[in-house]
Amino acid sequence: MSGVIVTGPPKAHPEDVEALAGYGVATVHEAMGRTGLLGPGLRPVQRDTRIAGTAVTVLSWPGDNLMIHAAVEQCGPGDVLVVTTTSPSTDGMFGELFATALGRRGVRGLVINAGVRDTAELRALGFPAWAAAVSAQGTVKATGGSVNVPVVIGGQVIRPGDVILADDDGVVVVPRERARHTAKASEARERKEAATRAAFLDGQLGLDRYGLREQLVRLGVTYTSYEDHLRSGERP
C-alpha cells in the first residue's frame, strides 16, 4: 500500500470551531438534520469531556501505526487526530507516547476507528480519546498509508480541516463549509430546547407540546380502562 501526505489543507475558521465547541454532539447532530454522527462504536476513554477541533486524518494499514507517526508532524494547535484503517482493526495503535507528542503540539484529542492502549495514562495526561476498542495488542511500522486525505468512519466522510466534536455521547463531523451555519442552527436548537425544558418543569406533557395526541389518533392508538382491557381478553 503506497500513500500520500498532504500538507497545508484548508481548515474551518477557528472562530467557527470555537462557536461549535459550546454545543454537545447530540445538539449539533440534530441541528445538521440528523447527520454527521460517526456511529455508536466510538466510545470515550474518559468521562465528562468535550472537545472541538479541526481534523487531521490518517488512513493506515490495520495493526500498523507508521502513518500516525507521520501525521504527528502535520498536527498543530486546535487539531483533532482522526485515524481509520483500510480494514477493521482492534489493535492498540495509539498510546501514552503518541499522546505526549500530540499534547506538546496543542492537539485537542484523538478519534480512532481502531484500538488504543495506556488508557490510565491517557486519562492522567488529560489527553481525550475516542476509540472503537481498547487493546494492549501492539503494532508494527511497516506499511505506507496516507495523511490528510478524506476518510470514512461510520458511513461519514471526514476531510482534513472539517470540524470534529466529541463528548460522552460520541463523535460528529461538521463539514468545514457548514461550520458557521451549523453553529447558528445549534444555538437556535438550544433556545428551543430551553423553552421546552421550562414547559416540562411547569408540568406540560410532551404529548401536548409536540402535538402527539393527534399522531396517536392517526395511528389508530386508542385508550381503554384496565377493566375493559381485561374483558376484551387481552393480557394486562
Side-chain angles (χ1 to χ4, degrees), residues 9-27:
K11 295 183 178 183
H13 293 294
E15 59 268 27
D16 296 333
V17 177
E18 292 309 308
L20 284 167
Y23 305 105
V25 165
T27 295

PDB file of all heavy atoms in Angstrom, residues 9-27:
ATOM      1  N   PRO A   9      -3.741  21.576   4.232  1.00  0.00           N
ATOM      2  CA  PRO A   9      -5.122  21.568   3.719  1.00  0.00           C
ATOM      3  C   PRO A   9      -5.916  22.731   4.306  1.00  0.00           C
ATOM      4  O   PRO A   9      -5.564  23.258   5.374  1.00  0.00           O
ATOM      5  CB  PRO A   9      -5.664  20.228   4.202  1.00  0.00           C
ATOM      6  CG  PRO A   9      -4.911  19.970   5.466  1.00  0.00           C
ATOM      7  CD  PRO A   9      -3.523  20.494   5.208  1.00  0.00           C
ATOM      8  N   PRO A  10      -6.995  23.132   3.644  1.00  0.00           N
ATOM      9  CA  PRO A  10      -7.850  24.188   4.222  1.00  0.00           C
ATOM     10  C   PRO A  10      -8.519  23.695   5.493  1.00  0.00           C
ATOM     11  O   PRO A  10      -8.766  22.499   5.655  1.00  0.00           O
ATOM     12  CB  PRO A  10      -8.881  24.453   3.118  1.00  0.00           C
ATOM     13  CG  PRO A  10      -8.904  23.203   2.302  1.00  0.00           C
ATOM     14  CD  PRO A  10      -7.507  22.648   2.351  1.00  0.00           C
ATOM     15  N   LYS A  11      -8.801  24.637   6.397  1.00  0.00           N
ATOM     16  CA  LYS A  11      -9.425  24.298   7.674  1.00  0.00           C
ATOM     17  C   LYS A  11     -10.588  25.226   7.959  1.00  0.00           C
ATOM     18  O   LYS A  11     -10.638  26.358   7.456  1.00  0.00           O
ATOM     19  CB  LYS A  11      -8.413  24.417   8.823  1.00  0.00           C
ATOM     20  CG  LYS A  11      -7.260  23.448   8.764  1.00  0.00           C
ATOM     21  CD  LYS A  11      -6.376  23.622   9.990  1.00  0.00           C
ATOM     22  CE  LYS A  11      -5.232  22.616   9.986  1.00  0.00           C
ATOM     23  NZ  LYS A  11      -4.402  22.726  11.218  1.00  0.00           N
ATOM     24  N   ALA A  12     -11.516  24.740   8.779  1.00  0.00           N
ATOM     25  CA  ALA A  12     -12.585  25.602   9.264  1.00  0.00           C
ATOM     26  C   ALA A  12     -11.983  26.776  10.032  1.00  0.00           C
ATOM     27  O   ALA A  12     -10.914  26.660  10.646  1.00  0.00           O
ATOM     28  CB  ALA A  12     -13.518  24.811  10.167  1.00  0.00           C
ATOM     29  N   HIS A  13     -12.675  27.914  10.005  1.00  0.00           N
ATOM     30  CA  HIS A  13     -12.183  29.092  10.719  1.00  0.00           C
ATOM     31  C   HIS A  13     -12.192  28.834  12.227  1.00  0.00           C
ATOM     32  O   HIS A  13     -13.168  28.279  12.760  1.00  0.00           O
ATOM     33  CB  HIS A  13     -13.051  30.304  10.405  1.00  0.00           C
ATOM     34  CG  HIS A  13     -12.951  30.757   8.985  1.00  0.00           C
ATOM     35  ND1 HIS A  13     -11.793  31.287   8.453  1.00  0.00           N
ATOM     36  CD2 HIS A  13     -13.859  30.746   7.978  1.00  0.00           C
ATOM     37  CE1 HIS A  13     -11.995  31.597   7.173  1.00  0.00           C
ATOM     38  NE2 HIS A  13     -13.235  31.266   6.867  1.00  0.00           N
ATOM     39  N   PRO A  14     -11.137  29.245  12.924  1.00  0.00           N
ATOM     40  CA  PRO A  14     -11.061  28.992  14.371  1.00  0.00           C
ATOM     41  C   PRO A  14     -12.267  29.526  15.139  1.00  0.00           C
ATOM     42  O   PRO A  14     -12.732  28.889  16.091  1.00  0.00           O
ATOM     43  CB  PRO A  14      -9.771  29.700  14.784  1.00  0.00           C
ATOM     44  CG  PRO A  14      -8.927  29.711  13.547  1.00  0.00           C
ATOM     45  CD  PRO A  14      -9.899  29.863  12.414  1.00  0.00           C
ATOM     46  N   GLU A  15     -12.794  30.697  14.735  1.00  0.00           N
ATOM     47  CA  GLU A  15     -13.929  31.246  15.478  1.00  0.00           C
ATOM     48  C   GLU A  15     -15.180  30.383  15.309  1.00  0.00           C
ATOM     49  O   GLU A  15     -16.010  30.280  16.226  1.00  0.00           O
ATOM     50  CB  GLU A  15     -14.219  32.688  15.054  1.00  0.00           C
ATOM     51  CG  GLU A  15     -14.530  32.866  13.574  1.00  0.00           C
ATOM     52  CD  GLU A  15     -13.310  33.173  12.733  1.00  0.00           C
ATOM     53  OE1 GLU A  15     -12.188  32.766  13.114  1.00  0.00           O
ATOM     54  OE2 GLU A  15     -13.484  33.837  11.689  1.00  0.00           O
ATOM     55  N   ASP A  16     -15.320  29.737  14.154  1.00  0.00           N
ATOM     56  CA  ASP A  16     -16.461  28.843  13.950  1.00  0.00           C
ATOM     57  C   ASP A  16     -16.299  27.566  14.762  1.00  0.00           C
ATOM     58  O   ASP A  16     -17.280  27.021  15.299  1.00  0.00           O
ATOM     59  CB  ASP A  16     -16.612  28.507  12.460  1.00  0.00           C
ATOM     60  CG  ASP A  16     -16.931  29.734  11.618  1.00  0.00           C
ATOM     61  OD1 ASP A  16     -17.515  30.688  12.167  1.00  0.00           O
ATOM     62  OD2 ASP A  16     -16.589  29.726  10.418  1.00  0.00           O
ATOM     63  N   VAL A  17     -15.058  27.080  14.858  1.00  0.00           N
ATOM     64  CA  VAL A  17     -14.800  25.898  15.687  1.00  0.00           C
ATOM     65  C   VAL A  17     -15.135  26.202  17.145  1.00  0.00           C
ATOM     66  O   VAL A  17     -15.788  25.398  17.833  1.00  0.00           O
ATOM     67  CB  VAL A  17     -13.328  25.447  15.563  1.00  0.00           C
ATOM     68  CG1 VAL A  17     -13.051  24.265  16.484  1.00  0.00           C
ATOM     69  CG2 VAL A  17     -13.001  25.089  14.118  1.00  0.00           C
ATOM     70  N   GLU A  18     -14.710  27.361  17.606  1.00  0.00           N
ATOM     71  CA  GLU A  18     -14.977  27.717  18.999  1.00  0.00           C
ATOM     72  C   GLU A  18     -16.466  27.918  19.243  1.00  0.00           C
ATOM     73  O   GLU A  18     -16.964  27.596  20.334  1.00  0.00           O
ATOM     74  CB  GLU A  18     -14.194  28.972  19.382  1.00  0.00           C
ATOM     75  CG  GLU A  18     -12.699  28.752  19.428  1.00  0.00           C
ATOM     76  CD  GLU A  18     -12.302  27.540  20.264  1.00  0.00           C
ATOM     77  OE1 GLU A  18     -12.745  27.462  21.427  1.00  0.00           O
ATOM     78  OE2 GLU A  18     -11.571  26.678  19.750  1.00  0.00           O
ATOM     79  N   ALA A  19     -17.183  28.427  18.262  1.00  0.00           N
ATOM     80  CA  ALA A  19     -18.633  28.569  18.409  1.00  0.00           C
ATOM     81  C   ALA A  19     -19.297  27.201  18.546  1.00  0.00           C
ATOM     82  O   ALA A  19     -20.188  27.000  19.381  1.00  0.00           O
ATOM     83  CB  ALA A  19     -19.211  29.329  17.215  1.00  0.00           C
ATOM     84  N   LEU A  20     -18.855  26.247  17.757  1.00  0.00           N
ATOM     85  CA  LEU A  20     -19.414  24.901  17.837  1.00  0.00           C
ATOM     86  C   LEU A  20     -19.037  24.203  19.137  1.00  0.00           C
ATOM     87  O   LEU A  20     -19.773  23.336  19.631  1.00  0.00           O
ATOM     88  CB  LEU A  20     -18.939  24.061  16.653  1.00  0.00           C
ATOM     89  CG  LEU A  20     -19.625  24.351  15.322  1.00  0.00           C
ATOM     90  CD1 LEU A  20     -18.860  23.711  14.163  1.00  0.00           C
ATOM     91  CD2 LEU A  20     -21.063  23.837  15.347  1.00  0.00           C
ATOM     92  N   ALA A  21     -17.893  24.567  19.703  1.00  0.00           N
ATOM     93  CA  ALA A  21     -17.411  23.906  20.916  1.00  0.00           C
ATOM     94  C   ALA A  21     -18.369  24.074  22.087  1.00  0.00           C
ATOM     95  O   ALA A  21     -18.312  23.296  23.048  1.00  0.00           O
ATOM     96  CB  ALA A  21     -16.033  24.445  21.292  1.00  0.00           C
ATOM     97  N   GLY A  22     -19.258  25.039  22.015  1.00  0.00           N
ATOM     98  CA  GLY A  22     -20.191  25.271  23.106  1.00  0.00           C
ATOM     99  C   GLY A  22     -21.391  24.348  23.101  1.00  0.00           C
ATOM    100  O   GLY A  22     -22.230  24.432  24.010  1.00  0.00           O
ATOM    101  N   TYR A  23     -21.491  23.456  22.119  1.00  0.00           N
ATOM    102  CA  TYR A  23     -22.673  22.600  21.985  1.00  0.00           C
ATOM    103  C   TYR A  23     -22.290  21.130  22.036  1.00  0.00           C
ATOM    104  O   TYR A  23     -21.201  20.739  21.625  1.00  0.00           O
ATOM    105  CB  TYR A  23     -23.408  22.908  20.678  1.00  0.00           C
ATOM    106  CG  TYR A  23     -23.764  24.363  20.543  1.00  0.00           C
ATOM    107  CD1 TYR A  23     -23.052  25.198  19.679  1.00  0.00           C
ATOM    108  CD2 TYR A  23     -24.773  24.924  21.313  1.00  0.00           C
ATOM    109  CE1 TYR A  23     -23.361  26.546  19.581  1.00  0.00           C
ATOM    110  CE2 TYR A  23     -25.081  26.275  21.223  1.00  0.00           C
ATOM    111  CZ  TYR A  23     -24.369  27.079  20.357  1.00  0.00           C
ATOM    112  OH  TYR A  23     -24.669  28.410  20.274  1.00  0.00           O
ATOM    113  N   GLY A  24     -23.220  20.317  22.518  1.00  0.00           N
ATOM    114  CA  GLY A  24     -22.994  18.892  22.596  1.00  0.00           C
ATOM    115  C   GLY A  24     -23.143  18.219  21.241  1.00  0.00           C
ATOM    116  O   GLY A  24     -23.732  18.764  20.307  1.00  0.00           O
ATOM    117  N   VAL A  25     -22.612  17.004  21.160  1.00  0.00           N
ATOM    118  CA  VAL A  25     -22.673  16.240  19.918  1.00  0.00           C
ATOM    119  C   VAL A  25     -24.121  16.017  19.481  1.00  0.00           C
ATOM    120  O   VAL A  25     -24.446  16.157  18.296  1.00  0.00           O
ATOM    121  CB  VAL A  25     -21.938  14.896  20.093  1.00  0.00           C
ATOM    122  CG1 VAL A  25     -22.282  13.920  18.972  1.00  0.00           C
ATOM    123  CG2 VAL A  25     -20.427  15.127  20.137  1.00  0.00           C
ATOM    124  N   ALA A  26     -25.007  15.677  20.406  1.00  0.00           N
ATOM    125  CA  ALA A  26     -26.397  15.424  20.047  1.00  0.00           C
ATOM    126  C   ALA A  26     -27.052  16.676  19.466  1.00  0.00           C
ATOM    127  O   ALA A  26     -27.802  16.608  18.476  1.00  0.00           O
ATOM    128  CB  ALA A  26     -27.177  14.925  21.259  1.00  0.00           C
ATOM    129  N   THR A  27     -26.776  17.832  20.059  1.00  0.00           N
ATOM    130  CA  THR A  27     -27.350  19.085  19.565  1.00  0.00           C
ATOM    131  C   THR A  27     -26.871  19.389  18.153  1.00  0.00           C
ATOM    132  O   THR A  27     -27.665  19.738  17.270  1.00  0.00           O
ATOM    133  CB  THR A  27     -26.976  20.241  20.502  1.00  0.00           C
ATOM    134  OG1 THR A  27     -27.578  20.021  21.777  1.00  0.00           O
ATOM    135  CG2 THR A  27     -27.454  21.579  19.954  1.00  0.00           C
TER     136      THR A  27
END
